[in-house]
Amino acid sequence: MPARKNIRLKNFDYSLAGNYFITICIYQNKQILSKIIQKDNIGIFNKSFAVELSSIGKIINKNLLEIENIFNFTKLNEYIIMPNYLHFILSLMENGKVKLGSIIGVFKSLCVKDCISKGIKLRKLWQRNFYEHIIRNEKEYKIISDYIIS
């Protein structure tokens, strides 16, 4: 088997305090988390949409909101759960407690355990790994935040 390419920034300490833009995808991009529904029609180019969570999406939402309680040095900021992925901004408030990858690993594991406990049968829930972007300044934070909530 070929070695997997490391997608993390080389020599960066992912336990440092800061803001991280995270994307986690569903295994095989299955659209199982939510549906996008049209709320109203203001015109051809001005349609308003909403996200309606599935039962799995509600489990993901519950566990996402729990991250702050499990890791009390974190803050969940803007987030959205789309049909086959989720985006969120996670702030680490202190240096050196736990690496970002460990936090995401715990989150993913809790979601799978909750699905199983509710009788939801999944071959796999998550795509391997996750994508992150280190938010470097306020301008970048605003752009990413606006992207998530729009």
Side-chain angles (χ1 to χ4, degrees):
M1 297 286 279
R4 292 183 67 84
K5 182 180 175 193
N6 188 349
I7 60 173
R8 302 288 162 247
L9 190 62
K10 192 174 184 176
N11 298 323
F12 184 80
D13 182 358
Y14 283 93
S15 65
L16 291 176
N19 298 309
Y20 299 88
F21 175 45
I22 310 292
T23 300
I24 306 175
C25 298
I26 292 299
Y27 180 69
Q28 295 181 333
N29 288 315
K30 292 182 179 174
Q31 298 191 5
I32 59 173
L33 299 181
S34 66
K35 289 190 305 189
I36 307 298
I37 55 172
Q38 186 174 332
K39 289 194 325 190
D40 50 32
N41 191 350
I42 306 168
I44 294 172
F45 299 107
N46 295 323
K47 293 182 179 175
S48 181
F49 296 93
V51 175
E52 184 179 285
L53 296 178
S54 67
S55 57
I56 296 172
K58 289 175 184 174
I59 291 169
I60 303 310
N61 189 67
K62 177 185 88 77
N63 283 290
L64 193 56
L65 295 172
E66 274 298 305
I67 290 175
E68 291 179 352
N69 296 327
I70 297 167
F71 301 99
N72 63 0
F73 55 91
T74 64
K75 181 176 184 309
L76 176 66
N77 300 295
E78 294 77 13
Y79 72 94
I80 189 157
I81 300 172
M82 298 302 285
N84 59 341
Y85 64 90
L86 62 142
H87 285 313
F88 59 97
I89 297 175
L90 187 66
S91 299
L92 302 185
M93 312 304 275
E94 299 174 20
N95 286 340
K97 289 263 186 179
V98 179
K99 290 191 179 208
L100 183 62
S102 296
I103 295 168
I104 301 303
V106 167
F107 164 72
K108 288 170 122 181
S109 178
L110 288 173
C111 292
V112 169
K113 287 177 183 174
D114 271 4
C115 286
I116 292 167
S117 74
K118 296 207 175 12
I120 299 170
K121 295 183 181 179
L122 298 166
R123 186 167 153 244
K124 274 184 137 181
L125 177 59
W126 300 112
Q127 179 176 312
R128 193 171 176 161
N129 225 324
F130 64 96
Y131 302 95
E132 54 52 47
H133 173 77
I134 303 157
I135 301 174
R136 291 174 173 83
N137 56 48
E138 284 297 318
K139 180 181 176 187
E140 196 173 62
Y141 185 98
K142 173 92 171 94
I143 291 167
I144 293 168
S145 175
D146 288 348
Y147 171 73
I148 291 172
I149 60 177
S150 64

